[in-house]
Amino acid sequence: MAEPILEVRDLVKYYPLTQGIVFKRQVGAVKAVDGVSFGLEKGETLGVVGESGCGKSTLAKVLMNLERATAGEVRFKGEDITR
């Protein structure tokens, strides 16, 4: 079996919820993407569907390195692109 072109393992992206004006402290987090895993072989196509606000755009931004993942791993042609 060939190595996947794109491999995503346990991808997580949380946005912190803060409170305060001068001394901001984190009081929670918005879980935009939580535990997404998949692999794509050469010639395969993936469609991501879901309701508005479920994390589709955030997933795409993390895959394109426009947002940094909170946790997990994205490998493109075997190279870790999340770090």
Side-chain angles (χ1 to χ4, degrees), residues 22-72:
V22 177
F23 298 106
K24 290 188 178 190
R25 63 183 178 96
Q26 187 171 338
V27 294
V30 174
K31 297 178 179 182
V33 175
D34 193 19
V36 174
S37 296
F38 63 89
L40 285 178
E41 303 285 335
K42 184 176 181 179
E44 288 185 318
T45 302
L46 173 70
V48 180
V49 296
E51 295 180 12
S52 177
C54 73
K56 300 178 303 287
S57 296
T58 301
L59 174 63
K61 288 176 185 177
V62 172
L63 293 178
M64 294 184 293
N65 266 341
L66 297 175
E67 295 273 356
R68 188 176 191 112
T70 304

Side-chain angles (χ1 to χ4, degrees), residues 14 24 32 76 80:
Y14 293 167
K24 290 188 178 190
F76 179 70
D80 187 355

